[in-house]
Amino acid sequence: MKHITRSLAALPLLLALFLPERSNAQILSRGDLFGPGAPPPMAGIELALGKHSQQGTFKADCGCTFENGDGTGFMGAAFFELPFDYQWAIGIKAGIDFKNTSSTVSLTESAIIQGSVSGTADTVASMQLNRISTVSMTFLNFQPYVQYQFFRMGPFVQAGLQAGFLMANHFTQQRELTQTSITINGKTSNNLRFQNGTIDETINDSTIADVNKLRLGLVFSAGYNIQISERSVLAPLLTYDFPLTAVRSTNASGWKLGSLYASAELKFRLD
């Protein structure tokens, strides 16, 4: 009995010698992708193709109103991501975003037909024309975001606030003939052209007046993490950028640019 009592008394000492020393609690654990704790920080790049749409309307110098524009563009960004655990992470993205939209409005305008069918005199006639606007804008974007990972790998969602600083913009307006012949007083004139010899002409080619330099948007993403090596992850991503600020306030009503992106992120572990 005395030997048993001594053995039991020595047990706490043996446990203290062989068990690892307990460390102070950490905010972030440096586990691996499939181990306990949280994954290490990650950094990478994102490349995206965007489908952009015009919301609201704006007026050009011609007085005509453009609406329902759309177009395509490209976005490239670098990002840093800091996980708190296997579910939650915060991050920030910074990159360049090229947005483009085009809108067409059909109008009936007065045109001067030189050397008309009624003789050598010019004739003023009403003709159907298209006015085509093209808007191009380049932003330097910064986007802090929060990410929720549903499993250790696989589907995730992101939400963030994007601030875009305008770096460049351009506006082009063209007139386009929708008919190349006209009948006046029973006589037809064919092969009508503008003075430049074509069926379209550029009447405005400049920057956008009174444009806002700051663009804000709410960004929502859904993606899927795929581990491609021990230290890298590939994530296809679908993102919608909901605009909060207008392109401009003068001669416009709710003129904003929204975007839908299909992209891919390549992430690298930083441990």
Side-chain angles (χ1 to χ4, degrees), residues 12 18 36 53 57 69 73 82 116 119 122 156 172 175 179 204-206 217-218 237 260-263 271:
F18 289 99
S53 60
T57 62
L82 183 64
S116 69
D122 296 341
F156 66 89
T172 302
R175 292 199 305 171
Q179 61 183 95
N204 196 316
D205 189 8
S206 62
L218 293 176
L237 202 64
L260 179 66
Y261 299 96
S263 64
D271 60 343

Side-chain angles (χ1 to χ4, degrees), residues 33 52-53 61 99 102 137 148 157 161 183 245 267:
L33 287 174
H52 309 295
S53 60
D61 294 340
K99 297 183 185 293
S102 180
M137 308 188 78
Y148 180 78
V157 292
L161 176 65
T183 300
T245 53
K267 308 178 183 183

